Amino acid sequence: MSAVYLLLLLVPTISAQTFRFGACPTPKVQSNFSLQLYLDKWYEIEKLPASFARGQCIEANYSVRKDGTIRVLNSQVVGGKREFLEGTAVVPDRQEPAKLGVSFSYFTPYGPYWVLETNYTNYTIVYSCTDILRIFHVYYAWILARSPSLPPETVHYAKQLLTNKGIYISKMTPTYQSCGNI
């Protein structure tokens, strides 16, 4: 009974997310990942729904802090104004540097941020998934680029890669990236 109660409490939270029954898929991540090459600005090209990213012209900027953690500065345009959200990323296991953890609050645990593939100069494909009592999982996927757009064939390739890794992307949507100087 308590699991059903918990599920009912979580419905409002997961309604703006993507979820599936069962445990998270565990796809392979980028081999020989270089955090140094990954740093700097990325533009969101497409994503699965996320309650925290409903705006336009979404960007993520990564830089190393003096303490060795990664500063994550996300921004999006909402209502004609650019909003910022700062977080922290860490590499929990140096043997798997493409599996980062990201948190945007001191009160929340680090959520997974897995770089499935990147060429560092044009595109990256990112996946995140959290199991809820191993009954279902909430997951996200992003296609990011170093510029505000990607060629259609690159987007198609990224979607195919996600699908081949067992990640359902039917709800993936493009992110509007023409906000001018906002």
Side-chain angles (χ1 to χ4, degrees):
M1 185 68 165
S2 62
V4 172
Y5 181 69
L6 178 63
L7 287 174
L8 289 174
L9 287 174
L10 291 172
V11 167
T13 303
I14 62 174
S15 64
Q17 318 300 326
T18 305
F19 71 97
R20 295 192 61 83
F21 289 101
C24 289
T26 54
K28 289 186 178 183
V29 295
Q30 173 93 15
S31 60
N32 301 312
F33 178 73
S34 169
L35 182 58
Q36 278 305 122
L37 294 174
Y38 194 79
L39 298 173
D40 213 357
K41 185 185 283 189
W42 291 96
Y43 295 87
E44 184 180 278
I45 304 303
E46 292 206 19
K47 68 168 173 293
L48 287 173
S51 61
F52 50 83
R54 294 185 179 187
Q56 302 175 339
C57 301
I58 299 174
E59 302 172 4
N61 200 321
Y62 305 97
S63 58
V64 178
R65 292 189 177 114
K66 289 180 183 178
D67 67 0
T69 61
I70 298 115
R71 178 181 186 235
V72 180
L73 185 61
N74 288 350
S75 70
Q76 63 182 329
V77 174
V78 177
K81 295 180 181 177
R82 185 158 294 277
E83 297 178 351
F84 294 89
L85 180 62
E86 185 170 341
T88 299
V90 295
V91 179
D93 181 354
R94 296 287 176 202
Q95 298 298 313
E96 294 186 287
K99 290 184 176 181
L100 292 93
V102 177
S103 177
F104 289 94
S105 167
Y106 291 109
F107 306 106
T108 59
Y110 287 97
Y113 181 98
W114 291 9
V115 180
L116 302 183
E117 184 175 306
T118 185
N119 69 357
Y120 303 105
T121 57
N122 295 17
Y123 73 91
T124 188
I125 304 160
V126 179
Y127 171 69
S128 178
C129 190
T130 301
D131 281 319
I132 309 295
L133 302 174
R134 309 233 9 117
I135 297 170
F136 66 95
H137 58 275
V138 177
Y139 68 105
Y140 308 94
W142 297 270
I143 301 168
L144 307 175
R146 292 291 191 186
S147 64
S149 65
L150 277 175
E153 57 272 13
T154 305
V155 174
H156 176 76
Y157 169 79
K159 288 180 170 183
Q160 193 62 50
L161 181 133
L162 288 162
T163 300
N164 290 345
K165 289 185 180 272
I167 300 162
Y168 296 93
I169 61 164
S170 64
K171 293 182 179 180
M172 191 165 255
T173 59
T175 301
Y176 181 80
Q177 282 290 358
S178 297
C179 296
N181 292 327
I182 296 176

